[in-house]
Coordinates of all heavy atoms in Angstrom, one line a residue:
M300 N 90.8 91.7 100.1 CA 91.1 93.1 100.3 C 90.0 94.0 99.8 O 89.5 93.8 98.7 CB 92.4 93.5 99.5 CG 92.8 94.9 99.7 SD 94.2 95.5 98.6 CE 95.2 94.1 98.4
L301 N 89.5 95.0 100.6 CA 88.4 95.8 100.1 C 88.9 97.0 99.4 O 88.3 97.5 98.4 CB 87.7 96.3 101.4 CG 87.0 95.2 102.3 CD1 86.4 95.8 103.5 CD2 85.9 94.5 101.4
Q302 N 90.1 97.6 99.8 CA 90.5 98.8 99.1 C 92.1 98.9 99.5 O 92.5 98.4 100.6 CB 89.8 100.0 99.7 CG 90.1 101.3 99.2 CD 89.2 102.5 99.6 OE1 88.5 102.2 100.6 NE2 89.3 103.6 99.1
K303 N 92.7 99.7 98.6 CA 94.1 100.0 98.8 C 94.3 101.5 98.5 O 93.8 102.0 97.5 CB 95.0 99.2 98.0 CG 96.5 99.6 98.1 CD 97.4 98.7 97.2 CE 98.8 99.1 97.4 NZ 99.7 98.4 96.4
I304 N 95.1 102.2 99.4 CA 95.3 103.6 99.1 C 96.8 103.8 99.1 O 97.5 103.2 99.9 CB 94.6 104.5 100.3 CG1 93.2 104.3 100.3 CG2 95.1 105.9 100.1 CD1 92.5 105.0 101.5
H305 N 97.3 104.6 98.2 CA 98.7 105.0 98.2 C 98.9 106.4 98.7 O 98.1 107.2 98.5 CB 99.2 104.9 96.7 CG 99.2 103.6 96.1 ND1 98.3 103.1 95.3 CD2 100.1 102.5 96.2 CE1 98.5 101.8 94.9 NE2 99.6 101.5 95.5
G306 N 100.0 106.6 99.4 CA 100.4 107.9 99.9 C 101.9 108.1 99.6 O 102.7 107.2 99.5
R307 N 102.2 109.4 99.6 CA 103.6 109.8 99.3 C 103.9 111.0 100.1 O 103.2 112.1 100.0 CB 103.8 110.0 97.8 CG 105.3 110.5 97.6 CD 105.4 110.7 96.0 NE 106.6 111.4 95.7 CZ 106.7 112.8 95.8 NH1 105.7 113.5 96.1 NH2 107.9 113.2 95.5
D308 N 105.0 111.1 100.8 CA 105.5 112.3 101.7 C 106.2 113.2 100.6 O 107.1 112.8 100.0 CB 106.4 111.8 102.7 CG 106.8 112.9 103.6 OD1 107.4 114.0 103.0 OD2 106.7 112.9 104.8
E309 N 105.6 114.4 100.5 CA 106.2 115.3 99.4 C 107.6 115.8 99.8 O 108.2 116.2 98.9 CB 105.2 116.6 99.3 CG 105.1 117.4 100.6 CD 104.2 118.7 100.3 OE1 104.5 119.5 99.5 OE2 103.1 118.7 101.0
F310 N 107.9 115.7 101.1 CA 109.3 116.2 101.4 C 110.3 115.1 101.2 O 111.4 115.4 100.8 CB 109.3 116.7 102.8 CG 108.4 117.9 102.9 CD1 107.1 117.8 103.7 CD2 108.6 119.1 102.4 CE1 106.3 118.9 103.8 CE2 107.8 120.3 102.4 CZ 106.6 120.1 103.1
T311 N 110.0 114.0 101.7 CA 111.1 112.9 101.6 C 110.9 111.9 100.4 O 111.8 111.2 100.0 CB 110.9 111.9 102.9 OG1 109.7 111.3 102.8 CG2 111.0 112.7 104.1
G312 N 109.7 111.9 99.8 CA 109.4 111.0 98.7 C 109.1 109.7 99.1 O 108.8 108.8 98.4
N313 N 109.0 109.4 100.5 CA 108.6 108.1 100.9 C 107.3 107.8 100.5 O 106.4 108.7 100.6 CB 108.8 108.0 102.5 CG 110.3 108.0 102.9 OD1 111.1 107.7 102.2 ND2 110.5 108.5 104.2
M314 N 106.9 106.5 100.3 CA 105.6 106.1 99.9 C 105.1 105.0 100.9 O 105.8 104.4 101.5 CB 105.7 105.6 98.5 CG 106.2 106.6 97.5 SD 106.1 106.0 95.8 CE 104.4 106.1 95.5
C315 N 103.7 105.0 100.9 CA 103.1 103.9 101.7 C 102.0 103.4 101.0 O 101.4 104.0 100.0 CB 102.7 104.5 103.0 SG 101.3 105.6 102.9
G316 N 101.4 102.3 101.4 CA 100.3 101.6 100.9 C 99.4 101.2 102.1 O 99.9 100.7 103.1
I317 N 98.2 101.6 102.0 CA 97.2 101.3 103.2 C 96.2 100.4 102.6 O 95.5 100.6 101.6 CB 96.6 102.6 103.7 CG1 97.6 103.5 104.2 CG2 95.6 102.2 104.9 CD1 97.1 105.0 104.6
Y318 N 96.1 99.2 103.2 CA 95.2 98.1 102.7 C 94.0 97.9 103.7 O 94.3 97.9 105.0 CB 96.0 96.8 102.7 CG 97.1 96.8 101.7 CD1 98.3 97.5 102.0 CD2 97.0 96.2 100.5 CE1 99.4 97.5 101.1 CE2 98.1 96.2 99.6 CZ 99.3 96.9 99.9 OH 100.3 96.8 99.0
F319 N 92.9 97.9 103.2 CA 91.7 97.7 104.1 C 91.1 96.3 103.8 O 90.9 95.9 102.7 CB 90.6 98.7 103.7 CG 91.0 100.1 104.1 CD1 91.7 100.9 103.1 CD2 90.7 100.7 105.3 CE1 92.0 102.1 103.4 CE2 91.1 102.0 105.7 CZ 91.8 102.7 104.7
F320 N 90.8 95.6 105.0 CA 90.3 94.3 105.0 C 89.0 94.2 105.8 O 88.9 95.0 106.8 CB 91.3 93.2 105.4 CG 92.5 93.1 104.6 CD1 93.6 94.0 104.9 CD2 92.5 92.2 103.5 CE1 94.8 93.9 104.0 CE2 93.7 92.2 102.7 CZ 94.7 93.0 103.0
D321 N 88.0 93.4 105.5 CA 86.8 93.3 106.3 C 87.0 92.3 107.4 O 86.2 92.6 108.4 CB 85.6 93.0 105.4 CG 85.8 91.6 104.7 OD1 86.9 91.2 104.7 OD2 84.8 91.2 104.1
T322 N 87.9 91.4 107.5 CA 88.1 90.7 108.6 C 89.6 90.4 108.9 O 90.4 90.5 108.0 CB 87.4 89.2 108.4 OG1 88.1 88.5 107.4 CG2 85.9 89.4 108.1
R323 N 89.8 90.0 110.1 CA 91.3 89.6 110.5 C 91.7 88.4 109.7 O 92.9 88.3 109.2 CB 91.4 89.4 112.0 CG 92.7 88.9 112.4 CD 93.7 89.9 112.5 NE 93.4 90.9 113.5 CZ 94.1 91.9 113.9 NH1 95.4 91.9 113.5 NH2 93.7 92.8 114.7
E324 N 90.8 87.5 109.4 CA 91.1 86.2 108.6 C 91.5 86.7 107.2 O 92.4 86.1 106.7 CB 89.9 85.3 108.6 CG 89.6 84.7 110.0 CD 89.0 85.6 110.9 OE1 88.3 86.6 110.5 OE2 89.1 85.4 112.2
A325 N 90.8 87.6 106.6 CA 91.2 88.2 105.3 C 92.5 88.7 105.2 O 93.4 88.5 104.3 CB 90.1 89.0 104.8
L326 N 92.9 89.6 106.2 CA 94.1 90.1 106.4 C 95.2 89.1 106.4 O 96.2 89.0 105.7 CB 94.2 91.0 107.6 CG 95.6 91.4 108.0 CD1 96.3 92.3 106.9 CD2 95.5 92.3 109.3
N327 N 95.0 88.0 107.3 CA 96.0 87.0 107.5 C 96.2 86.2 106.3 O 97.3 85.9 105.9 CB 95.6 86.1 108.7 CG 95.7 86.8 110.0 OD1 96.4 87.8 110.2 ND2 94.9 86.3 110.9
A328 N 95.1 85.9 105.5 CA 95.3 85.2 104.2 C 96.0 86.0 103.2 O 96.8 85.5 102.5 CB 93.8 84.9 103.7
F329 N 95.8 87.3 103.2 CA 96.5 88.1 102.3 C 98.0 88.1 102.6 O 98.8 88.0 101.7 CB 96.0 89.5 102.2 CG 96.7 90.5 101.3 CD1 96.5 90.4 100.0 CD2 97.6 91.4 101.9 CE1 97.3 91.3 99.1 CE2 98.4 92.2 101.0 CZ 98.2 92.1 99.6
R330 N 98.3 88.3 103.8 CA 99.7 88.3 104.3 C 100.5 87.1 103.9 O 101.7 87.2 103.7 CB 99.8 88.6 105.8 CG 99.3 90.0 106.1 CD 99.4 90.2 107.5 NE 100.7 90.8 107.9 CZ 101.0 91.0 109.1 NH1 100.2 90.9 110.2 NH2 102.3 91.5 109.4
E331 N 99.8 85.9 103.8 CA 100.5 84.7 103.4 C 100.5 84.5 101.9 O 101.1 83.5 101.5 CB 99.7 83.5 104.2 CG 99.8 83.5 105.7 CD 101.3 83.4 106.1 OE1 102.0 82.6 105.6 OE2 101.7 84.1 107.0
S332 N 99.8 85.3 101.2 CA 99.7 85.1 99.8 C 101.0 85.5 99.0 O 101.9 86.2 99.5 CB 98.5 85.9 99.1 OG 98.9 87.4 99.2
E333 N 101.2 84.9 97.8 CA 102.3 85.2 96.9 C 102.3 86.6 96.6 O 103.3 87.3 96.5 CB 102.3 84.3 95.7 CG 102.7 82.9 96.0 CD 104.1 82.8 96.7 OE1 105.1 83.5 96.2 OE2 104.2 82.1 97.7
L334 N 101.1 87.2 96.3 CA 101.1 88.6 95.9 C 101.7 89.5 97.1 O 102.5 90.4 96.8 CB 99.6 89.0 95.8 CG 99.4 90.5 95.5 CD1 100.1 91.0 94.3 CD2 97.9 90.8 95.4
A335 N 101.3 89.2 98.3 CA 101.8 90.1 99.4 C 103.4 89.9 99.5 O 104.0 90.9 99.9 CB 101.1 89.6 100.7
K336 N 103.8 88.6 99.3 CA 105.2 88.4 99.5 C 106.0 89.1 98.4 O 107.2 89.4 98.5 CB 105.5 86.9 99.4 CG 104.8 86.3 100.7 CD 105.0 84.8 100.6 CE 104.3 84.1 101.8 NZ 104.4 82.7 101.7
T337 N 105.5 89.5 97.2 CA 106.2 90.1 96.1 C 106.0 91.7 96.2 O 106.8 92.3 95.4 CB 105.7 89.7 94.8 OG1 104.3 90.1 94.7 CG2 105.8 88.2 94.6
I338 N 105.3 92.2 97.1 CA 105.1 93.7 97.2 C 106.5 94.4 97.4 O 106.7 95.4 96.6 CB 104.1 94.1 98.2 CG1 102.7 93.6 97.7 CG2 104.1 95.6 98.5 CD1 101.6 93.8 98.7
P339 N 107.3 94.0 98.3 CA 108.5 94.8 98.6 C 109.3 94.9 97.3 O 109.9 96.0 97.0 CB 109.2 94.1 99.7 CG 108.1 93.4 100.5 CD 107.2 93.0 99.4
S340 N 109.5 93.8 96.6 CA 110.4 93.8 95.4 C 109.7 94.5 94.2 O 110.4 95.2 93.5 CB 110.8 92.4 94.9 OG 109.7 91.6 94.7
A341 N 108.4 94.4 94.1 CA 107.7 95.0 93.1 C 107.7 96.6 93.1 O 107.8 97.3 92.1 CB 106.2 94.6 93.0
Y342 N 107.7 97.1 94.4 CA 107.8 98.5 94.6 C 109.3 99.0 94.9 O 109.5 100.1 95.2 CB 106.9 99.0 95.7 CG 105.4 98.9 95.3 CD1 104.6 97.8 95.6 CD2 104.9 99.9 94.6 CE1 103.3 97.7 95.2 CE2 103.6 99.9 94.1 CZ 102.8 98.8 94.5 OH 101.4 98.7 94.0
E343 N 110.2 98.0 94.9 CA 111.6 98.3 95.2 C 111.8 99.0 96.6 O 112.5 100.0 96.7 CB 112.3 99.1 94.0 CG 112.3 98.5 92.7 CD 112.8 99.3 91.6 OE1 113.2 100.5 91.8 OE2 112.9 98.8 90.5
A344 N 111.0 98.4 97.4 CA 111.0 98.9 98.9 C 112.3 98.7 99.5 O 112.8 97.6 99.6 CB 109.9 98.4 99.6
V345 N 112.9 99.7 100.2 CA 114.1 99.6 100.9 C 113.8 99.1 102.4 O 114.5 98.3 102.9 CB 115.0 100.9 100.9 CG1 116.2 100.9 101.8 CG2 115.3 101.2 99.5
E346 N 112.7 99.7 102.9 CA 112.4 99.5 104.3 C 110.9 99.2 104.3 O 110.1 100.0 103.7 CB 112.7 100.7 105.2 CG 112.2 100.4 106.6 CD 112.4 101.6 107.5 OE1 112.9 102.7 107.0 OE2 112.1 101.6 108.7
V347 N 110.4 98.1 104.8 CA 109.0 97.7 104.9 C 108.7 97.6 106.4 O 109.3 97.0 107.1 CB 108.7 96.4 104.2 CG1 107.3 96.0 104.3 CG2 109.1 96.5 102.7
R348 N 107.6 98.3 106.8 CA 107.2 98.4 108.2 C 105.6 98.1 108.2 O 104.8 98.9 108.4 CB 107.5 99.7 108.9 CG 108.9 100.1 108.9 CD 109.0 101.5 109.6 NE 108.0 102.4 109.5 CZ 108.0 103.6 109.0 NH1 109.1 104.1 108.6 NH2 107.0 104.4 108.9
P349 N 105.4 96.7 108.2 CA 104.0 96.3 108.3 C 103.4 96.7 109.6 O 104.0 96.4 110.6 CB 103.9 94.9 108.0 CG 105.4 94.4 107.9 CD 106.2 95.6 108.1
Q350 N 102.3 97.4 109.6 CA 101.6 97.7 110.9 C 100.1 97.5 110.7 O 99.6 97.6 109.6 CB 101.8 99.2 111.2 CG 103.3 99.5 111.4 CD 103.6 101.0 111.6 OE1 102.8 101.8 111.1 NE2 104.6 101.3 112.2
I351 N 99.4 97.1 111.7 CA 98.0 96.9 111.7 C 97.3 97.8 112.6 O 97.6 98.0 113.8 CB 97.7 95.4 112.2 CG1 98.3 94.4 111.3 CG2 96.2 95.2 112.3 CD1 98.3 93.0 111.7
Y352 N 96.3 98.4 112.2 CA 95.5 99.4 112.9 C 93.9 99.0 112.7 O 93.6 98.5 111.6 CB 95.6 100.8 112.3 CG 97.0 101.4 112.5 CD1 98.0 101.2 111.6 CD2 97.4 102.1 113.7 CE1 99.3 101.8 111.8 CE2 98.6 102.6 113.9 CZ 99.5 102.5 113.0 OH 100.8 102.9 113.2
N353 N 93.2 99.3 113.7 CA 91.8 99.2 113.6 C 91.2 100.6 113.2 O 91.6 101.6 113.8 CB 91.1 98.8 114.9 CG 91.3 97.3 115.2 OD1 91.5 96.5 114.3 ND2 91.5 97.1 116.5
V354 N 90.3 100.6 112.2 CA 89.7 101.9 111.8 C 88.6 102.2 112.8 O 87.7 101.4 113.0 CB 89.1 101.8 110.3 CG1 88.4 103.1 109.9 CG2 90.3 101.4 109.3
L355 N 88.8 103.5 113.3 CA 87.8 103.9 114.3 C 86.6 104.5 113.8 O 85.4 104.3 114.3 CB 88.5 104.8 115.3 CG 89.7 104.3 116.1 CD1 90.3 105.4 117.0 CD2 89.3 103.1 116.9
Y356 N 86.7 105.3 112.6 CA 85.6 105.9 112.1 C 85.6 105.8 110.6 O 86.2 106.5 109.8 CB 85.7 107.5 112.4 CG 85.8 107.8 113.9 CD1 87.1 108.1 114.4 CD2 84.8 107.6 114.7 CE1 87.2 108.4 115.8 CE2 84.8 107.8 116.0 CZ 86.0 108.2 116.6 OH 86.1 108.4 118.0
P357 N 84.9 104.8 110.1 CA 84.9 104.5 108.7 C 84.3 105.6 107.8 O 83.4 106.3 108.4 CB 84.1 103.2 108.5 CG 83.3 103.1 109.7 CD 84.1 103.8 110.8
L358 N 84.8 105.8 106.7 CA 84.2 106.9 105.9 C 82.7 106.6 105.4 O 82.0 107.5 105.1 CB 85.1 107.2 104.6 CG 86.5 107.7 104.9 CD1 87.3 107.7 103.6 CD2 86.4 109.0 105.5
R359 N 82.5 105.3 105.3 CA 81.1 104.9 105.0 C 80.5 104.1 106.1 O 80.5 102.9 106.1 CB 81.2 104.1 103.7 CG 81.7 104.9 102.5 CD 81.7 104.1 101.2 NE 80.4 103.7 100.9 CZ 80.1 102.8 100.0 NH1 81.0 102.3 99.3 NH2 78.8 102.5 99.8
P360 N 79.9 104.8 107.1 CA 79.5 104.1 108.3 C 78.3 103.1 108.0 O 78.1 102.3 108.9 CB 79.0 105.2 109.2 CG 78.9 106.4 108.4 CD 79.7 106.2 107.2
E361 N 77.7 103.2 106.9 CA 76.6 102.2 106.6 C 77.2 100.9 106.3 O 76.5 99.9 106.3 CB 75.8 102.7 105.4 CG 76.5 102.6 104.0 CD 77.3 103.8 103.7 OE1 77.5 104.8 104.6 OE2 77.8 104.0 102.6
R362 N 78.5 100.7 106.1 CA 79.2 99.5 105.9 C 79.8 99.0 107.2 O 80.0 99.9 108.1 CB 80.3 99.6 104.8 CG 79.7 100.0 103.5 CD 80.7 100.1 102.5 NE 81.2 98.7 102.1 CZ 82.0 98.5 101.2 NH1 82.6 99.4 100.6 NH2 82.5 97.2 101.0
D363 N 80.1 97.7 107.4 CA 80.8 97.2 108.6 C 82.1 97.9 108.7 O 82.8 98.3 107.8 CB 80.9 95.7 108.4 CG 79.6 95.0 108.5 OD1 78.6 95.6 109.1 OD2 79.5 93.8 108.0
S364 N 82.5 97.9 110.0 CA 83.9 98.4 110.3 C 85.0 97.5 109.7 O 84.8 96.3 109.5 CB 84.2 98.4 111.8 OG 83.3 99.3 112.4
F365 N 86.1 98.1 109.3 CA 87.2 97.4 108.8 C 88.1 97.0 109.9 O 88.1 97.6 111.0 CB 88.1 98.3 107.9 CG 87.3 98.8 106.7 CD1 87.2 100.1 106.5 CD2 86.8 97.9 105.8 CE1 86.5 100.6 105.3 CE2 86.1 98.3 104.7 CZ 85.9 99.7 104.5
V366 N 88.9 95.9 109.8 CA 89.9 95.4 110.7 C 91.1 96.1 110.5 O 91.5 96.5 109.4 CB 90.1 93.9 110.6 CG1 91.2 93.5 111.4 CG2 88.8 93.1 110.9

């Protein structure tokens, strides 16, 4: 994992975590890890909606694109 960002909707209180990986393989390895499997219970998540997006415009273009 290269970076993680937390977000919170000020009206609903819903929270999210956005994880950045440099390769699809790194993402897949993380998703299979014990750490990833404990995230819902650690954050007492009621609903978890994992979604994958490709970053179109990285904030630091001098680095490789994220998956």
Side-chain angles (χ1 to χ4, degrees):
M300 179 185 338
L301 297 174
Q302 184 176 5
K303 178 181 177 184
I304 298 172
H305 292 101
R307 181 178 164 278
D308 184 303
E309 66 179 293
F310 299 108
T311 66
N313 291 339
M314 300 185 73
C315 71
I317 303 170
Y318 299 75
F319 294 89
F320 298 89
D321 55 352
T322 65
R323 175 74 63 169
E324 292 77 19
L326 165 63
N327 292 338
F329 177 77
R330 291 178 87 181
E331 294 298 320
S332 72
E333 285 303 312
L334 174 61
K336 293 174 185 176
T337 63
I338 290 172
S340 61
Y342 289 97
E343 298 177 0
V345 176
E346 179 183 359
V347 177
R348 296 185 331 238
Q350 300 173 335
I351 299 172
Y352 294 90
N353 289 326
V354 175
L355 299 177
Y356 305 104
L358 295 177
R359 295 182 61 188
E361 69 276 7
R362 299 181 71 179
D363 291 335
S364 297
F365 300 122
V366 172

